[in-house]
Amino acid sequence: MLPLYLEKLTLPELHQRAEALRQLLSECRICPNECLAKRTEGETGECHSTDEVIISSVGPHFGEEPPLVGTNGSGTIFFTNCNLDCKFCQNYDISHLGVGEKASTTDLARAMLQLQQRGFHNINLVTPTHFTPQIVDALILAVEKGLELPIVYNCGGYESIETLKLLEDIVDIYMPDIKYSIDKNALKYSGVQNYWETVKL
């Protein structure tokens, strides 16, 4: 069975999606923070990131739900930084301290292909929200070189509807780790506005 991006979209359509996402990045509206940082010019957004992708690790993961792990494991790419500021984050060194290495779009595409070559069942993008445009750019490069694994979008649930619409038929499985049903708690512990109202949309 083909992943959605091969079944539903052509390469020109993927390029159109990538361009639309890059436009959202110029004065950043990728996520509901809508901080308007000029990340492509080196400004840092609420996610503590410019447009340079930072990856903390690439490799197998067996701690996800059984259908994702299967027999060979889920192929994870852990992205550094986050559009949330959770005080309790279990990946504090990654999300708050920025531990990781810079990766070009080509590097990211290569990582996707390596995960496929190692026999994992999917590409599991962990905390991908703030790097969505670069991920789609990398996906295009990987597709051109034979990528055909489904995409898992493993996020904190604080997502922009506009961005999600551009990811339609690109992402196969969404895994939003929804943290709050009370907005004031989200503001207190994760530093974001209207969390519950946003994740309900």
Side-chain angles (χ1 to χ4, degrees):
M1 183 174 176
L2 291 174
L4 288 175
Y5 57 83
L6 291 180
E7 181 183 350
K8 301 282 190 178
L9 299 174
T10 64
L11 271 176
E13 287 171 330
L14 279 173
H15 279 285
Q16 290 172 0
R17 301 287 188 90
E19 176 57 29
L21 286 164
R22 283 194 296 272
Q23 289 179 11
L24 292 179
L25 189 65
S26 61
E27 290 186 349
C28 197
R29 293 182 290 112
I30 288 292
C31 84
N33 282 315
E34 293 194 346
C35 64
L36 302 180
K38 297 178 180 178
R39 291 174 57 195
T40 57
E41 297 178 20
E43 288 185 10
T44 300
E46 290 290 327
C47 58
H48 308 293
S49 303
T50 65
D51 66 336
E52 289 188 309
V53 174
I54 307 176
I55 295 174
S56 65
S57 66
V58 177
H61 191 42
F62 292 91
E64 299 287 13
E65 287 74 7
L68 291 181
V69 171
T71 54
N72 297 338
S74 180
T76 55
I77 302 175
F78 275 85
F79 293 93
T80 296
N81 298 330
C82 185
N83 68 325
L84 298 173
D85 189 26
C86 301
K87 310 306 179 197
F88 50 81
C89 184
Q90 64 180 351
N91 296 322
Y92 190 89
D93 57 336
I94 299 168
S95 65
H96 288 251
L97 302 182
V99 174
E101 296 184 2
K102 293 179 182 177
S104 67
T105 303
T106 302
D107 293 332
L108 184 51
R110 187 180 299 117
M112 293 176 181
L113 290 165
Q114 287 172 347
L115 291 172
Q116 178 169 277
Q117 290 163 4
R118 292 173 67 182
F120 302 124
H121 298 296
N122 47 67
I123 305 293
N124 189 345
L125 306 170
V126 183
T127 323
T129 305
H130 51 304
F131 293 131
T132 301
Q134 299 92 326
I135 289 168
V136 175
D137 280 336
L139 177 66
I140 291 168
L141 294 179
V143 167
E144 291 173 338
K145 293 184 178 295
L147 185 71
E148 51 186 23
L149 288 184
I151 300 295
V152 178
Y153 193 89
N154 194 338
C155 66
Y158 197 56
E159 303 295 317
S160 159
I161 295 297
E162 188 172 8
T163 298
L164 290 177
K165 285 181 177 177
L166 291 170
L167 290 175
E168 186 175 355
D169 293 331
I170 293 176
V171 171
D172 293 87
I173 299 171
Y174 287 92
M175 291 183 63
D177 180 14
I178 297 175
K179 306 172 188 303
Y180 308 99
S181 60
I182 299 174
D183 282 338
K184 67 178 182 180
N185 290 343
L187 182 59
K188 181 177 181 180
Y189 296 112
S190 293
V192 292
Q193 301 277 353
N194 303 318
Y195 182 89
W196 181 236
E197 293 306 312
T198 298
V199 299
K200 286 195 299 181
L201 292 175

